[in-house]
Amino acid sequence: MQRKKQNFVQGAVILMVASLVVKVIGAFFQIPLQNLIGGESSPAFGLFSAAYRIYSAMLVISTVGLPAALSKMVAEATAYGREREVRRIVRVAAGIFIPIGALATVVMLYGADMFAGWIRNPDARLAVMAIAPSVLMVAVLAVFRGYYQGRANMVPTAVSQVIEAMGKLFVGLGLAWYAVQQGMDDPRTAAMAVLGVTIGEAAAAAYMLVQAAITRRRSETVHTLNDTVRPTGQLARTLLSLSIPITISSAVMSLTDLIDVALISARLQSPAVGMTAEQATTAYGIYTGNAVNFFNLPQTLITALAVSVLPTIASARAAQNFTKVSKTMATTLRLTMIITLPAGAGFLLLSGPILRLFYSEGTELGGQLMALLGFAVPAVALVAITNAVLQAFGRIDLPLISMFLGALVKIFGDYYLIGIPELNIAGAPISTAVCYWLIALINLFHISRLSHSLPPIGKTVGRPLAATVGMGAATYICHTLLLRVTDAAPGTAVDKLITLAVIGIAVVAYGVLLLVLHAIDREDMLLLPKGEKIANILHLK
């Protein structure tokens, strides 16, 4: 079969670019959507968010382990030269997981009342039903994405992600606008908005089916180095033994998010805090719609890196190339810190101004919650990367244990902290930070034990951290001075221009500091597309 291969950084860059495009499209969808159906006067956006969280949990249960497990198996079979086995692996995966996705869709459709009852909001029933068919569509996507990722070709995954987002933007926002114009009530309006997600997934699945047909028609014969093909039953057992623990470890946190919905609502309505049901729904909508949306942005970029690094390490280990394993792991951890440390600092310093760029309501509370989530940004990224590394090492049990421990911390932290009146909803981001730092540290301990070493702390963490501190100082000073000079009121055009200017200053300052502190070297740049030209321009040695 024809193969397009990229090194793991190039593959990650392709997925990161797609993720950024998806986030921009998502902003054009979710921000107008919140302003259209959300805000403090309407719980419709809270219903949308709740239904999306339920969908995410069902989605994890049905498909999240498949792309990771399938890409690992395809990468290893490719490293051994077993081309016939690669094709059989994909057929086995489709035969198992597409029916599971169909079952999850049926459960959501017929159990919509039950799911809505879990979050103490029966009005969410229609939104849950509207999003249910997308789980089946994503099961189809998962099979194809796992195959292409295992082949070190991230382009189909990237394109399908953009198609999903475009469908959500044009259809979801259009239907929400129509619902508002027709004067529909909150439950129907939320369901119409959610329907855009389902249609986007269906369009992406159709693209993957067409892409697979084109690939098959244009495929060229690849020399088979090894005719060995394991029996279908053995491949199925191997696939399940990999995907189920990965799914469970991911589902622990997603199901915790599902419990989080009910727990946050219940605790905010408890006598200690005293919010009404509508106030609790509104607060939750601000938390998920404002703070969590931006919190997910650096996570998305790192997820792209994790997706790319897993088959790379698995393939290198299968080929007994342990030098490549060590270098790949070191580069991945360093890139993770380079990306997420400044992102976390930006959350701490500019959360309110950033939210005011996009939202007209809820920016004060959303900014406070987003600033607290800044402490969790590097930890969440480390969890994604270390989970992928441990899975590539074949120790899929270790992320399961650490994620379960983190989930317990998250649940009990939410219950205790949200019940403190002075904290209320702020307890959620605090417990999130504690939860993910615990998981990250446990995973790093296991990686150190299995690999007998970790990359040097100075280059991996110290230099990016020093650059982040310098960037943070420049950001704080410039923002404070510009506000004093202009005397700009929050939310005005001048305030927004100042925020954009300060973000630009922060980016430039951070880039310069990375080069001055030698946090990036020539070898790193050579991994990028046109990397040699970039390295020459920057005079990297």
Side-chain angles (χ1 to χ4, degrees), residues 221-250:
T221 302
V222 175
H223 181 59
T224 301
L225 302 176
N226 189 334
D227 280 325
T228 303
V229 180
R230 285 173 287 175
T232 297
Q234 184 180 348
L235 290 175
R237 287 192 297 272
T238 302
L239 185 63
L240 290 172
S241 69
L242 288 171
S243 60
I244 289 176
I246 295 173
T247 298
I248 293 174
S249 64
S250 298

Side-chain angles (χ1 to χ4, degrees), residues 83-151:
E83 294 297 324
R84 291 174 56 207
E85 184 169 281
V86 168
R87 291 191 288 272
R88 181 172 291 183
I89 289 170
V90 175
R91 287 196 296 269
V92 168
I96 295 174
F97 287 94
I98 290 178
I100 291 177
L103 178 62
T105 290
V106 172
V107 169
M108 288 185 69
L109 283 172
Y110 287 94
D113 287 323
M114 177 184 67
F115 288 117
W118 282 0
I119 61 173
R120 297 186 177 185
N121 200 328
D123 289 341
R125 180 181 67 88
L126 289 176
V128 173
M129 294 180 68
I131 207 167
S134 61
V135 180
L136 173 59
M137 298 298 103
V138 174
V140 175
L141 285 167
V143 173
F144 290 109
R145 286 173 177 172
Y147 164 73
Y148 284 115
Q149 288 161 199
R151 290 292 207 178

Side-chain angles (χ1 to χ4, degrees), residues 392-423:
F393 278 16
R395 293 306 306 269
I396 51 180
D397 57 317
L398 297 178
L400 175 61
I401 295 170
S402 63
M403 295 292 278
F404 179 75
L405 293 174
L408 290 178
V409 169
K410 172 65 176 160
I411 292 171
F412 287 109
D414 269 1
Y415 184 85
Y416 175 74
L417 294 174
I418 295 173
I420 299 174
E422 294 77 13
L423 290 178

Side-chain angles (χ1 to χ4, degrees), residues 46-57 115-121 124 253-269 277 280-281 283-285 287-288 410-411 414 418 425 428:
L47 295 175
F48 172 87
S49 298
Y52 198 88
R53 282 295 181 93
I54 294 170
Y55 151 76
S56 297
F115 288 117
W118 282 0
I119 61 173
R120 297 186 177 185
N121 200 328
M253 295 313 299
S254 291
L255 290 176
T256 300
D257 283 344
L258 187 58
I259 296 170
D260 215 21
V261 178
L263 198 56
I264 289 174
S265 178
R267 293 302 283 162
L268 290 177
Q269 296 176 59
T281 301
Y284 180 76
Y287 176 55
T288 57
K410 172 65 176 160
I411 292 171
D414 269 1
I418 295 173
I425 189 71

Side-chain angles (χ1 to χ4, degrees), residues 481-528:
L481 287 176
L482 288 172
L483 286 178
R484 287 181 180 176
V485 169
T486 61
D487 195 26
T492 61
V494 175
D495 176 54
K496 294 179 180 182
L497 287 174
I498 289 173
T499 301
L500 293 173
V502 171
I503 291 172
I505 292 170
V507 170
V508 172
Y510 186 63
V512 170
L513 287 169
L514 286 178
L515 294 175
V516 170
L517 295 171
H518 302 289
I520 297 177
D521 54 30
R522 186 178 184 85
E523 187 176 353
D524 294 331
M525 283 296 175
L526 294 179
L527 294 171
L528 297 171

Side-chain angles (χ1 to χ4, degrees), residues 184-477:
M184 295 184 185
D185 57 15
D186 288 331
R188 286 182 171 80
T189 300
M192 294 288 275
V194 165
L195 189 60
V197 177
T198 295
I199 294 175
E201 298 288 359
Y207 157 77
M208 276 294 198
L209 290 170
V210 172
Q211 176 64 34
I214 293 173
T215 300
R216 185 179 182 86
R217 189 164 57 247
R218 295 179 178 176
S219 63
E220 299 172 357
T221 302
V222 175
H223 181 59
T224 301
L225 302 176
N226 189 334
D227 280 325
T228 303
V229 180
R230 285 173 287 175
T232 297
Q234 184 180 348
L235 290 175
R237 287 192 297 272
T238 302
L239 185 63
L240 290 172
S241 69
L242 288 171
S243 60
I244 289 176
I246 295 173
T247 298
I248 293 174
S249 64
S250 298
V252 167
M253 295 313 299
S254 291
L255 290 176
T256 300
D257 283 344
L258 187 58
I259 296 170
D260 215 21
V261 178
L263 198 56
I264 289 174
S265 178
R267 293 302 283 162
L268 290 177
Q269 296 176 59
S270 67
V273 180
M275 287 189 183
T276 65
E278 185 172 340
Q279 288 173 331
T281 301
T282 299
Y284 180 76
I286 291 173
Y287 176 55
T288 57
N290 292 8
V292 174
N293 275 343
F294 283 93
F295 176 63
N296 287 335
L297 179 57
Q299 289 184 56
T300 303
L301 298 179
I302 296 302
T303 298
L305 188 57
V307 165
S308 184
V309 79
L310 190 155
T312 301
I313 292 180
S315 177
R317 282 176 59 84
Q320 301 290 301
N321 189 347
F322 297 110
T323 300
K324 183 177 181 180
V325 170
S326 179
K327 290 181 67 175
T328 300
M329 188 171 65
T331 301
T332 302
L333 290 174
R334 188 167 69 257
L335 288 175
T336 300
M337 292 293 95
I338 287 173
I339 293 170
T340 59
L341 285 174
F347 279 29
L348 286 170
L349 296 170
L350 295 174
S351 55
I354 289 173
L355 289 180
R356 290 198 297 270
L357 287 172
F358 303 100
Y359 298 106
S360 58
E361 295 183 0
T363 57
E364 183 176 353
L365 175 59
Q368 295 169 2
L369 300 175
M370 181 174 163
L372 291 171
L373 285 173
F375 291 102
V377 171
V380 175
L382 283 173
V383 168
I385 294 300
T386 53
N387 277 355
V389 171
L390 289 171
Q391 289 158 7
F393 278 16
R395 293 306 306 269
I396 51 180
D397 57 317
L398 297 178
L400 175 61
I401 295 170
S402 63
M403 295 292 278
F404 179 75
L405 293 174
L408 290 178
V409 169
K410 172 65 176 160
I411 292 171
F412 287 109
D414 269 1
Y415 184 85
Y416 175 74
L417 294 174
I418 295 173
I420 299 174
E422 294 77 13
L423 290 178
N424 57 76
I425 189 71
I430 294 172
S431 63
T432 294
V434 174
C435 158
Y436 280 108
W437 274 113
L438 174 65
I439 299 170
L441 292 174
I442 293 173
N443 284 357
L444 286 169
F445 167 77
H446 287 309
I447 290 173
S448 176
R449 181 175 56 85
L450 293 171
S451 63
H452 306 294
S453 67
L454 282 175
I457 294 178
K459 187 174 182 180
T460 305
V461 180
R463 294 178 189 178
L465 181 59
T468 299
V469 171
M471 178 210 73
T475 300
Y476 177 79
I477 292 170

